[in-house]
Amino acid sequence: MTPSMLTGISASPGIVVGPVHLLRWEVPEVPERAIDESAVPRELERLRHAYDRAVERLRGVRVRAERHAGPAEAAIFDVQVSIIEDADLRRRVEDVIRQNFSAERAFDVVMLEWREHFARSAHAMMRERVGDLMDVHIRVLSILLDLPDYDPVDLPKGSNAILVTHDLTPSLTLQLDRECIAGIATDAGTRTSHVAILARSLGLPAVVGLLDATSRLTSGEKVILDATAGVLVVRPTAAELKDAAARARRERREGEVLARLTGEEAITVDGVRIQLLVNVDLPEEAAGAALSGAEGVGLMRTEFLVIGRASMPDEEEQYQAYTNVIRAFDGQPVVIRTFDVGGDKLPVGGYPHEPNPFLGWRAIRMCLDEPDLFRTQLRALMRAAVHGNVRIMLPLVVTIDEVREARALLAEAARELEDRGVAHRADVPLGVMIETPAAVITADSLAKEVAFFSIGTNDLVQYTLAVDRGNARLATRFTPLHPAVLRLIHRTLEAGRANGLDVSVCGEMASEPLMAFALIGLGLRTLSVAPRSVARVKQIVRGIHASAAAEAATSALDAGTAHAAEQIFRERLNAELS
Ligand code: PEP
Ligand code: MG
């Protein structure tokens, strides 16, 4: 029997009620089925029919993606159509059918071969197609096997559905029709995984880390997605529905109270000013984020510009995207981070599959190894910088060499713009994210090379505690208040201060009221938070004494465990707010 409540992790708040839309975006099991000679023509016909339906479906998806996300993003679906129409692929699958394999078996075998071949290719262009091959693999097989739960977009308008899926990949995110989907529930993921970050950006309530929701739920079942509490109530009773409606109303009222803080200053009771900045993941979010009451952008994650794309955005397109964000913030500081691709970002396509992606070829490492791609981004950034107060930030730095190499490429990119006679700013301040123990431990040396530090606690916690930030099974072990993490943050601040550098925190930690209190206690004066958290964190700031937070931090730094540190902060914060 399905339990009436599934517990996961709150990734993006909100309470919604609706029918489950179960989506299995994974390659289905294909039953062994040999056919005899006489069945070959029928299997060939089934295959052609499946191709036609898949192409028809992709054309529909393309139209929708173009409307929601733009032509460049929608082009990925043209690529998938061209894979299905590829003559070599068709010939090879037909050959296998003629060896007495069923259409689904033949298609499965050939797609596995192709995916393997593309993934191992020395050419980036071919590796970039692996994700598309996988999408085609799933789509055509699910048609051949007549599986019901394999279409992300086949929903009537206004269905208010709760999308339940194993994990939300970038290409799936693109296909979602936000007019039909009211919330997201996933088996995988944690608060700091990129599904969660994206859901928060889109303002869609989301519960992640449910582990096995896809095997417990069926399409059409009514559920309450209480994403604020991180639970999913299955087939709710009338009383549960009434209670959920009451809580949703309460949340709305709280939201209204928080909205009144937008124009207020973020200043503690004892007069300490906190600079509250906002994290922007999608350029389209910028206008809304600018109204959140933040004083600028502490982190723009540019990798979301390339999500699900068939090709990298060129200099002009990037320039436009950055300029839109900079203009939305009208002279306020905007920190733009260079591509942090890899890890759990862009898990499909483009990059070789690695056994340890979080310890792999990601972020600054990838950018330095692909200098053309990196210089294109740097040129776009320097051009956009003419329109406002921009800083460039490098992700996942572990050594000064990376900063020096990036600086050399920045100088080269500036020369390229000079040669072209294009307006740009060559003196954009360059900073680094502090996301690894190596960066913290050498922060004093790094500080001599850069203009600012921003602590990325999502990664810093993962690399310090050796806890995969995206692994739902480890979610309770992902403890940003672990004394080891607190000490690393403290040490970073000291190194920054000693060298006159601005130090901020832009990891998700800063968006949580209790942890924001802890960070202020550790001495942070700039926090960059999710758009929806600006007002809530401001409310905390305005209700506390920085001195009380500092006292709590002094004890927490010496606490034995994350739990003990949390207790210290919680008791002190409660006392402050009571
Ligand atoms: C972080 O690691 O804390 C961070 C802000 O970067 P991202 O979450 O994009 O890895
Ligand atoms: Mg990071």
Side-chain angles (χ1 to χ4, degrees):
M1 213 189 89
T2 308
S4 64
M5 190 185 280
L6 308 182
T7 304
I9 301 158
S10 164
S12 174
I15 301 168
V16 282
V17 179
V20 165
H21 177 66
L22 189 64
L23 170 66
R24 297 183 194 279
W25 202 247
E26 61 214 43
V27 177
E29 288 271 324
V30 177
E32 285 292 344
R33 187 165 71 84
I35 56 164
D36 59 35
E37 214 57 44
S38 63
V40 168
R42 195 193 62 219
E43 292 301 298
L44 290 173
E45 183 49 36
R46 282 184 62 230
L47 181 70
R48 270 191 290 275
H49 179 67
Y51 287 153
D52 290 349
R53 274 190 54 205
V55 168
E56 189 191 322
R57 203 79 203 104
L58 280 167
R59 297 228 157 98
V61 172
R62 187 197 195 294
V63 170
R64 191 181 309 226
E66 176 149 10
R67 195 157 15 98
H68 289 304
E73 285 78 2
I76 187 176
F77 301 109
D78 294 335
V79 173
Q80 296 187 10
V81 167
S82 67
I83 293 173
I84 297 178
E85 289 177 341
D86 186 282
D88 283 345
L89 176 78
R90 289 190 170 211
R91 208 171 312 115
R92 175 87 186 105
V93 180
E94 286 168 16
D95 286 349
V96 179
I97 292 180
R98 289 195 186 92
Q99 291 162 31
N100 299 62
F101 281 85
S102 66
E104 51 272 20
R105 193 87 197 124
F107 188 75
D108 190 36
V109 167
V110 175
M111 285 310 278
L112 285 172
E113 274 172 20
W114 274 46
R115 279 171 51 193
E116 178 73 15
H117 173 65
F118 275 57
R120 289 179 182 281
S121 169
H123 303 288
M125 278 290 284
M126 281 183 70
R127 293 199 306 268
E128 277 171 19
R129 294 286 77 85
V130 173
D132 298 313
L133 284 170
M134 174 138 114
D135 281 359
V136 166
H137 193 170
I138 297 171
R139 194 177 293 279
V140 174
L141 268 189
S142 57
I143 294 171
L144 282 166
L145 294 166
D146 203 17
L147 297 168
D149 300 325
Y150 283 77
D151 202 319
V153 290
D154 199 10
L155 284 168
K157 281 262 161 306
S159 28
N160 215 34
I162 312 299
L163 180 81
V164 179
T165 189
H166 179 68
D167 200 1
L168 205 56
T169 64
S171 81
L172 277 183
T173 312
L174 253 185
Q175 296 180 50
L176 298 185
D177 186 347
R178 290 175 220 154
E179 286 166 25
C180 309
I181 289 168
I184 299 172
T186 61
D187 291 341
T190 62
R191 251 198 79 74
T192 49
S193 64
H194 283 82
V195 188
I197 292 171
L198 206 59
R200 278 198 286 284
S201 295
L202 299 172
L204 272 177
V207 178
V208 298
L210 286 156
L211 301 178
D212 55 1
T214 48
S215 53
R216 289 173 180 269
L217 297 169
T218 45
S219 273
E221 278 188 301
K222 189 173 195 168
V223 291
I224 301 171
L225 180 81
D226 184 343
T228 306
V231 297
L232 208 138
V233 183
V234 190
R235 281 189 248 111
T237 60
E240 284 168 331
L241 284 168
K242 199 165 152 214
D243 178 54
R247 275 180 299 122
R249 272 197 305 279
R250 202 163 52 233
E251 267 197 8
R252 269 196 299 278
R253 276 199 304 274
E254 280 168 16
E256 283 157 20
V257 171
L258 287 176
R260 285 187 222 125
L261 289 178
T262 308
E264 302 290 330
E265 250 193 321
I267 186 160
T268 62
V269 178
D270 50 350
V272 174
R273 270 285 277 127
I274 303 295
Q275 186 184 32
L276 276 187
L277 305 174
V278 70
N279 293 349
V280 171
D281 297 334
L282 309 166
E284 307 87 75
E285 255 189 290
L291 302 175
S292 64
E295 301 168 68
V297 177
L299 165 67
M300 177 186 175
R301 289 182 166 95
T302 58
E303 56 278 7
F304 287 100
L305 284 178
V306 303
I307 276 187
R309 292 276 302 256
S311 58
M312 290 298 285
D314 64 15
E315 179 186 317
E316 193 57 32
E317 191 187 337
Q318 290 188 49
Y319 163 72
Q320 293 297 345
Y322 306 144
T323 302
N324 288 346
V325 177
I326 294 161
R327 290 221 163 102
F329 282 85
D330 195 21
Q332 291 181 319
V334 175
V335 178
I336 306 184
R337 179 174 75 182
T338 57
F339 293 132
D340 187 358
V341 179
D344 70 337
K345 296 165 197 168
L346 305 197
V348 290
Y351 300 91
H353 290 280
E354 297 183 331
N356 282 310
F358 276 122
L359 302 182
W361 195 58
R362 61 172 289 209
I364 189 68
R365 304 168 185 185
M366 188 275 285
C367 285
L368 293 176
D369 289 353
E370 300 275 343
D372 289 344
L373 175 154
F374 195 28
R375 281 201 323 276
T376 303
Q377 180 172 42
L378 296 174
R379 287 195 304 271
L381 286 168
M382 282 188 283
R383 286 175 57 193
V386 170
H387 305 295
N389 176 0
V390 176
R391 294 166 164 218
I392 298 178
M393 179 155 79
L394 308 175
L396 207 77
V397 164
V398 295
T399 147
I400 291 170
D401 299 337
E402 289 158 340
V403 177
R404 291 182 180 155
E405 270 185 67
R407 210 181 270 291
L409 287 168
L410 196 64
E412 253 180 66
R415 273 196 302 279
E416 286 161 1
L417 290 172
E418 263 155 46
D419 292 348
R420 275 165 44 196
V422 181
H424 66 282
R425 261 192 60 191
D427 61 345
V428 185
L430 186 67
V432 289
M433 293 202 67
I434 302 290
E435 304 189 276
T436 59
V440 177
I441 292 162
T442 57
D444 50 346
S445 322
L446 274 171
K448 310 262 180 332
E449 306 267 335
V450 298
F452 63 97
F453 286 160
S454 187
I455 307 176
T457 49
N458 305 337
D459 278 316
L460 185 60
V461 173
Q462 117 162 313
Y463 294 123
T464 304
L465 305 183
V467 170
D468 177 346
R469 62 190 267 183
N471 186 336
R473 247 174 246 290
L474 298 176
T476 56
R477 291 184 166 88
F478 189 92
T479 46
L481 295 178
H482 189 297
V485 178
L486 299 179
R487 288 182 201 185
L488 291 179
I489 295 173
H490 185 243
R491 184 162 173 167
T492 307
L493 258 174
E494 283 186 335
R497 273 200 198 123
N499 291 280
L501 253 58
D502 290 344
V503 181
S504 61
V505 168
C506 63
E508 299 307 307
M509 191 179 172
S511 298
E512 299 267 325
L514 178 70
M515 300 201 204
F517 177 69
L519 292 171
I520 293 167
L522 287 170
L524 266 305
R525 294 297 175 256
T526 303
L527 303 178
S528 190
V529 307
R532 287 178 67 134
S533 297
V534 174
R536 191 167 294 284
V537 173
K538 195 183 281 185
Q539 191 184 38
I540 294 294
V541 169
R542 291 172 62 84
I544 60 164
H545 293 80
S547 57
E551 282 168 21
T554 305
S555 322
L557 280 166
D558 285 332
T561 64
H563 180 70
E566 182 175 336
Q567 284 289 104
I568 292 168
F569 285 120
R570 194 176 295 287
E571 276 167 22
R572 199 60 197 252
L573 178 61
N574 287 345
E576 284 287 288
L577 298 179
S578 62

